[in-house]
Amino acid sequence: MIKIMIVDDMPVFQEYLREAVDWQTYGFEICAVAENGKEALELVQKYDPDIVLSDINMPYMDGLSLAEKLKTESPNTSVVLITGHSEFEYAQRAVKLGVADYILKPFEKETLIVTLLGLQDNIIKAIEEQEAHRNLEARQRENLYRELIHSSAKHMLASRSKEVQHGLNQTLNYRVTAIEIETEKSGAVTSQTETSMNWKQAVGTIYMDLIDVDGVHDFFTDYEGRIIAFTGSPKGVESPVDTEALEDLMKLVKERLSLNISIGIGTPVQGIEGLRTSYLEAVSALGSRFDNGLDKIYKYEAVSAEIRSFGFYSAEINEQILSALTHNQKERALTLLRRIFHEAERNKYSSAYKHIIYMGLMSLLLSYIVQAGRDVNGILSDDFRPYESLSKERADSVKEAFLLSAYDRVIEHMVERQETKAMEIAQKAKAYIDQHFASGTLSTEDISRELLVNQTYLRKMFKSEAGMTLTEYITKVRMEEAKTLIQQSEYKLSSISEAVGYSDSGYFSKCFKKYYGSSPSSFR
């Protein structure tokens, strides 16, 4: 869990921060509460929080002074200041001094959540915690949802328990909302793709908190990594979409995280099969973003008739292509692409609709690469510029050749490098850490680049095999080497700390004592 300390001299506000958020759902826990900066400094030594959430105005020691102290005494602790408008200038000055962020009063709880998750690697850690706490029932329910949107079988619910069904039945009217998170307006896709994927679970949870509807409502991710939210209302009751909540969510994510959200909304349709229909509509409407821009809400009934008709290219074709990619069936995948191009030409699709098709195919390929645990640039090179190559100004034949080449390269790479087992990944990661632990800048990004796997996949595989996180293993190697040097040599502490990757000997001593329970001098 990500540990949070609350620092505020007002008991009412302390209680509000404790109760406003279901912290565990987002991978957080409140480890301590302090009434002023002086008390907070004492508790930091005891609880070692990841984040200190502090008011600015407090007796004895205010938030600014606390932040300044923590910068030197606990440099790995992030500080977020809570401030009123009259203190805005102080908060801005604090950010320049190293404070991670600030929040203005009054604020919505969603703003607080996004701010806290956005600090450093907190989103990664939180997602890992959420995954660990998800029970079997929740996993089964998510698998059921995916089956329902990817097939038309009615009998699926009959074999599921009432808990897994989650209130789904044939009498409800269902409406689906598809949410896509992307990193940049330009659509440039690099390792940042992983960042947007990590946010999907958190954004889905926040949206569920925001909407206020009667009946069934839940969310999950489809096979292409989109957030799929749905509502189910009794027959005769309208199944509205809270567009205001969606707009708030888009604005929040854009302002606090610099991520773009595009949203497609299907029509309300009755019954379980209606859930699939509304899903296909929502995904189809979402395709409009490639021609009309990100950060917008697209309703199926409002998009062009050409897109609404689905044509030959649809979510169903995506499923076939994804299946071919998953099974390394290169000829089948390329044949499907050629059929799409042929049908688009035969039916005389407009240039705008063709652009949507090309961009959709590229988005599908990139999502597959990241979902498979691979690094986009590691396969397609650092100078890979898909959105420039697929620009509207280029001829259709050039775009189609580019897409066929990209798919070919990806499948060939996957065939050459068959799925690496968790043990092999863990062993390679350990070997790299054992060789480079003395580098003070050693990071998960370095290891993922060396092994050509993305960071999320690397963390997951390493922890499942090694029983600890990458960060914990790096610390273990450094501490064991430091212990050996301390006991078997006469090197100065500053030299030893530098030899194991710590530029600050004071911080090294603190880490050493935390790891072994005794100071370096006691070992010597």
Side-chain angles (χ1 to χ4, degrees), residues 41-109:
L41 280 177
E42 297 172 359
L43 293 176
V44 163
Q45 298 300 317
K46 180 178 180 181
Y47 293 101
D48 192 26
D50 299 294
I51 302 170
V52 168
L53 185 61
S54 175
D55 192 16
I56 284 187
N57 277 332
M58 297 179 295
Y60 304 111
M61 181 185 291
D62 63 21
L64 287 172
S65 301
L66 171 62
E68 193 170 1
K69 286 277 189 180
L70 289 176
K71 185 178 180 180
T72 55
E73 296 183 18
S74 186
N76 285 348
T77 299
S78 299
V79 178
V80 175
L81 293 177
I82 299 175
T83 173
H85 286 283
S86 61
E87 304 152 355
F88 183 61
E89 291 183 8
Y90 293 105
Q92 286 184 307
R93 181 163 61 87
V95 170
K96 294 179 181 178
L97 294 173
V99 170
D101 210 336
Y102 60 86
I103 305 175
L104 293 176
K105 296 178 183 177
F107 57 84
E108 299 292 336
K109 66 177 183 179

Side-chain angles (χ1 to χ4, degrees), residues 263-323:
I263 297 169
I265 301 174
T267 60
V269 186
Q270 186 177 356
I272 295 301
E273 288 169 329
L275 186 67
R276 170 175 167 78
T277 301
S278 190
Y279 163 76
L280 293 174
E281 291 176 348
V283 170
S284 180
L286 192 58
S288 298
R289 76 192 191 280
F290 293 126
D291 200 50
N292 298 300
L294 309 179
D295 293 324
K296 293 181 181 178
I297 298 175
Y298 296 99
K299 293 186 178 180
Y300 178 72
E301 53 264 46
V303 300
S304 69
E306 191 173 41
I307 294 176
R308 283 190 315 183
S309 68
F310 290 107
F312 180 79
Y313 176 74
S314 68
E316 296 185 29
I317 295 296
N318 269 13
E319 292 172 25
Q320 295 179 37
I321 295 172
L322 198 57
S323 173

Side-chain angles (χ1 to χ4, degrees), residues 396-518:
D396 291 343
S397 59
V398 174
K399 299 176 189 177
E400 291 166 6
F402 174 78
L403 282 165
L404 289 168
S405 174
Y407 271 75
D408 183 285
R409 288 162 65 187
V410 169
I411 297 175
E412 283 296 322
H413 176 90
M414 294 299 184
V415 170
E416 291 173 7
R417 294 172 174 264
Q418 289 294 330
E419 186 65 27
T420 307
K421 294 180 181 179
M423 182 182 294
E424 293 173 319
I425 288 191
Q427 288 175 343
K428 289 180 180 179
K430 284 182 176 180
Y432 188 84
I433 293 167
D434 291 346
Q435 186 177 355
H436 297 89
F437 69 87
S439 169
T441 60
L442 178 63
S443 67
T444 304
E445 183 179 357
D446 297 329
I447 305 168
S448 71
R449 191 186 303 113
E450 175 69 18
L451 302 185
L452 290 180
V453 296
N454 71 42
Q455 295 177 47
T456 300
Y457 186 80
L458 171 60
R459 285 187 177 95
K460 186 175 181 180
M461 291 300 99
F462 189 90
K463 188 172 183 180
S464 68
E465 186 60 33
M468 65 179 73
T469 66
L470 279 163
T471 301
E472 288 170 342
Y473 183 74
I474 292 172
T475 300
K476 175 178 180 291
V477 172
R478 286 173 169 170
M479 291 298 110
E480 288 177 351
E481 177 65 14
K483 180 181 175 183
T484 300
L485 291 173
I486 289 170
Q487 292 178 326
Q488 300 179 4
S489 73
E490 295 299 324
Y491 291 125
K492 291 182 179 179
L493 195 60
S494 58
S495 299
I496 293 175
S497 66
E498 189 173 341
V500 295
Y502 293 89
S503 58
D504 185 333
S505 59
Y507 179 60
F508 161 72
S509 296
K510 178 183 175 182
C511 293
F512 190 93
K513 185 174 182 179
K514 181 179 178 181
Y515 189 85
Y516 284 113
S518 302

Side-chain angles (χ1 to χ4, degrees), residues 21 130 142 150 186 192 194 202 220 228 236 242 257 296 326 377 431 462 470:
V21 177
Q130 285 179 310
E142 183 172 62
H150 289 290
S186 63
Q192 288 180 316
E194 184 188 354
F220 59 103
I228 305 300
D242 193 339
L257 304 173
K296 293 181 181 178
T326 303
N377 290 337
F462 189 90
L470 279 163

Side-chain angles (χ1 to χ4, degrees), residues 36 77 104 119 162 237 262 286 294 338 345 381 391 470 496 507:
N36 56 67
T77 299
L104 293 176
L119 303 179
K162 288 184 178 180
V237 177
S262 302
L286 192 58
L294 309 179
R338 292 189 183 99
E345 187 62 33
S381 76
S391 66
L470 279 163
I496 293 175
Y507 179 60

